[in-house]
Amino acid sequence: MRKVVSRDGTTIAYDRSGEGPPLVLLNGAFRDHTIFDDLVPELARHCTVYAYDRRGRGQSGDAPEYAVEREIEDLWAVIEEAGGSAAVFAGSTGANVALQAAFAGAPITRLALHEPFFRVEGFPKPPSNSAQTLRVILESDRRDEAAEYFLGPVLGLTPDAVAQWRRSPIWAMNEANAHTLLYDIEICGDFTVPAGQLAGFRTQTLVLNSDSTSDWLRAAAAATAAALPNGRGLELPGSWHRIDMDVLGRTLVEFATA
């Protein structure tokens, strides 16, 4: 993987593929750039794709102290590598990072978001002490318990659903990246849709959700799109918190190259 040095000196690893307008991909909780392995081939036929590991994940470095501002600087550094401006696709908590970067003035030409982590009225927010609870769990290096806590009380999955996750091949990555769940909790803040900031954001934005996702994620996507003056929402076929890759690829190419 290629490397770029973020403002605080942390090394951020990324893959670059394809030719065409630059498109940066930003992953959500638990994952690294490999979450996009099935998506990149379609995108790379039309775009120069930059898929990077968020700090603390994969081949990227980290710092002793975390701050959301550092993640903003990481995305900005990758955009600079892409030529100084780029379209961005970000999913899950990565969508929250991308929005914060956009609000900070990052040179994002078009922004596509997949199910940002907000909670609208009518859907309970995660426990207010989520960060403290996770920190205590991780101080004892109980990574499996931290992953379960994030999926359960924070995301709202049932015990049966969490048990199914534990049996899946991706559980090893969940445990490996469990320490970064504290980053994602901080990124989400109080989980409220930042309607005021969104109202002043003028970049063309596409907010996506799956037709089989959780009601709270669907509602959050709709509220985000509705608050954007140059935004629109689009529901696509998929499963929980995931859009079918072939459909997603075509949609992103059309949006990023318009």
Side-chain angles (χ1 to χ4, degrees), residues 99 103 111 113 116 118 120 192-207 218-234:
L99 278 173
F103 296 154
L111 180 60
L113 306 171
F118 298 124
V120 303
T192 299
V193 176
Q197 289 176 293
L198 291 169
F201 185 58
R202 302 295 172 181
T203 300
Q204 291 287 334
T205 304
L206 179 63
V207 187
R218 181 181 291 105
T224 301
L228 287 160
N230 290 323
R232 64 184 178 95
L234 182 62

Side-chain angles (χ1 to χ4, degrees), residues 20-189:
L23 174 60
V24 176
L25 307 182
L26 179 56
N27 60 275
F30 290 118
R31 303 291 165 249
D32 58 25
H33 79 283
T34 59
I35 192 66
F36 300 116
D37 282 355
D38 292 336
L39 181 63
V40 166
E42 170 64 21
L43 300 179
R45 294 171 53 204
H46 309 274
C47 302
T48 306
V49 183
Y50 296 78
Y52 75 95
D53 291 337
R54 286 171 55 194
R55 62 175 51 212
R57 299 162 173 83
Q59 295 185 41
S60 286
D62 207 348
E65 299 293 331
Y66 179 79
V68 176
E69 290 77 12
R70 303 295 83 77
E71 289 242 47
I72 292 171
E73 291 164 359
D74 298 345
L75 174 55
W76 209 313
V78 176
I79 292 174
E80 286 298 318
E81 286 288 287
S85 63
V88 171
F89 169 63
S92 191
T93 52
N96 296 57
V97 174
L99 278 173
Q100 290 300 318
F103 296 154
I108 297 172
T109 57
R110 283 175 170 256
L111 180 60
L113 306 171
H114 173 225
E115 297 183 7
F117 266 39
F118 298 124
R119 298 291 177 99
V120 303
E121 187 174 352
F123 295 95
K125 293 183 179 180
S128 59
N129 65 342
S130 294
Q132 180 182 359
T133 301
L134 270 173
R135 188 171 289 107
V136 170
I137 294 171
L138 288 166
E139 283 174 354
S140 301
D141 201 32
R142 290 176 284 158
R143 290 174 172 268
D144 60 338
E145 187 176 335
E148 286 188 343
Y149 180 80
F150 191 85
L151 291 169
V154 177
L155 266 66
L157 296 185
T158 66
D160 285 347
V162 174
Q164 186 175 357
W165 272 62
R166 285 190 64 91
R167 295 191 294 269
S168 73
I170 62 174
W171 189 254
M173 182 179 288
N174 289 0
E175 290 190 2
N177 291 329
H179 61 287
T180 63
L181 296 174
L182 283 170
Y183 305 172
D184 291 300
I185 290 286
E186 186 166 344
I187 286 160
C188 292

